Every structure is written in C-alpha cells, then in structure tokens.
Amino acid sequence: MKYIIIIIVMAFSVTMNAQQVEKDGKTYEVKKDKIFLNGEDVTETLNLEERAAILKQAATISEKMKMKEKAEKEAEKLEKDKKKAEKAQKKAEKEAKRAEKALKKKQKAQDKFEKANKKLKDAEKKYEKLKRKGKLSPNDELKWLDKLEGLREDVAKAKKKM
C-alpha cells in the first residue's frame, strides 16, 4: 500500500509540467519561463516585479516538489536496504543453525565411536582373561569371537560416520 501511494504521488508530480502559483487571488500556471492565466499567455502583460515574484514562487514550489521526490526515493531505498539486511540476517541465522546441527551430529558420532571402542576393548580384555584362565569351551570361544567381530564392525561403522 505504501509503495502504491508513493508511485501515484511520483506519477502525479511527473505529469504536472506546469506549476500553479496563487497570487492576488488569481491562479497562474508557469511553464518554463512563460506565465499563463486561464490558458492565455500573460507573461508580457505583467510588470517585472509581478513576473519575478510569480517565477520565484514557481521555482520554490518546483524545488519543494523535487526535494519531496528525493526524500521519497531515499525512504524507498532505506526500506529496500532494511529488507536486504533482514534477509541477510535470516540467512546468517539459518547458516548458524545448520552449523550447530552439523556440530551436534559430529559430536554424537564421536560419542558413539568412543562408546563402541570402549565396549570392544572391555570385551577383548574379558575374552583374554577368560582364555588365559582356560574357562572357555570351544563353543564359548566361537561365541566370543563372533561377539568381538560384531563389536569391531560397530567401531568401523562409527568411525566411518565421523
């Protein structure tokens, strides 16, 4: 809505080539250096003081309109810059979240690796201890070797995910 109003005001000000000046109860139109009253050129019929006053007033009005247009353009530019900054901030926040998520994932993989590695080492110690003491039957030894192989695979998978 704001932009529509700005566009309408700018279009209106651009289409108005003539400046309307109110002097002594009469409305004069000034186009370039010519002064019109009711559509007739009255530039030559006015004395120098009146002509100068009307032209000065028209110049002032024209300058005000230019300044207003410039201010509107600046406001529009500031609005665009604000939107760009907001967009950039959202993008940065999204990247930060993505990085944080990746870090958590990496940490989780590291924890799983360490846990699997500890499990493997503990199982190997227990297997060696039982083997040394001679408490393993051939069937138990096969079960232990399968168990250790499974734990080694778990460690390899966890390491691959890191």
Side-chain angles (χ1 to χ4, degrees):
M1 183 67 181
K2 184 177 180 183
Y3 293 115
I4 294 171
I5 293 172
I6 290 173
I7 291 170
I8 291 171
V9 168
M10 290 176 74
F12 181 72
S13 64
V14 169
T15 57
M16 285 188 55
N17 293 334
Q19 300 297 322
Q20 291 190 344
V21 178
E22 189 82 25
K23 179 144 174 77
D24 300 328
K26 297 177 183 174
T27 304
Y28 296 97
E29 278 188 47
V30 179
K31 292 183 182 178
K32 297 185 182 178
D33 289 336
K34 297 193 182 251
I35 303 170
F36 295 89
L37 179 65
N38 299 327
E40 295 178 25
D41 186 358
V42 291
T43 310
E44 300 302 319
T45 59
L46 297 172
N47 64 35
L48 287 175
E49 283 181 14
E50 289 177 324
R51 192 181 313 164
I54 291 171
L55 290 174
K56 184 177 179 184
Q57 195 173 357
T60 305
I61 291 171
S62 178
E63 188 64 32
K64 283 182 183 178
M65 286 178 67
K66 286 180 183 177
M67 290 180 73
K68 186 176 180 181
E69 284 179 26
K70 187 176 179 181
E72 288 170 351
K73 285 181 183 178
E74 277 294 316
E76 195 172 309
K77 184 180 177 191
L78 287 174
E79 188 69 28
K80 284 182 182 179
D81 290 346
K82 181 182 173 187
K83 284 188 178 185
K84 278 185 183 178
E86 287 173 356
K87 193 174 184 180
Q89 183 179 0
K90 284 182 182 180
K91 187 176 180 180
E93 287 173 358
K94 195 173 184 181
E95 283 295 321
K97 283 182 182 179
R98 189 177 291 140
E100 187 178 330
K101 193 174 182 180
L103 183 64
K104 283 182 180 180
K105 188 175 180 180
K106 189 175 181 180
Q107 184 63 42
K108 189 176 179 182
Q110 178 72 30
D111 291 345
K112 280 187 175 183
F113 173 74
E114 289 172 3
K115 187 177 178 182
N117 215 8
K118 185 179 184 310
K119 236 180 176 181
L120 175 63
K121 292 216 184 302
D122 290 346
E124 285 176 340
K125 281 182 185 178
K126 190 170 183 181
Y127 169 73
E128 290 298 325
K129 184 178 176 183
L130 290 172
K131 190 176 178 182
R132 245 184 301 123
K133 289 187 176 183
K135 294 186 175 183
L136 288 177
S137 67
N139 284 341
D140 287 344
E141 192 165 343
L142 284 176
K143 287 180 184 176
W144 270 99
L145 290 174
D146 286 344
K147 181 178 179 179
L148 291 174
E149 187 58 34
L151 290 173
R152 285 187 188 107
E153 287 175 8
D154 289 347
V155 169
K157 284 180 187 176
K159 189 173 185 176
K160 190 175 180 181
K161 286 186 179 181
M162 275 192 346

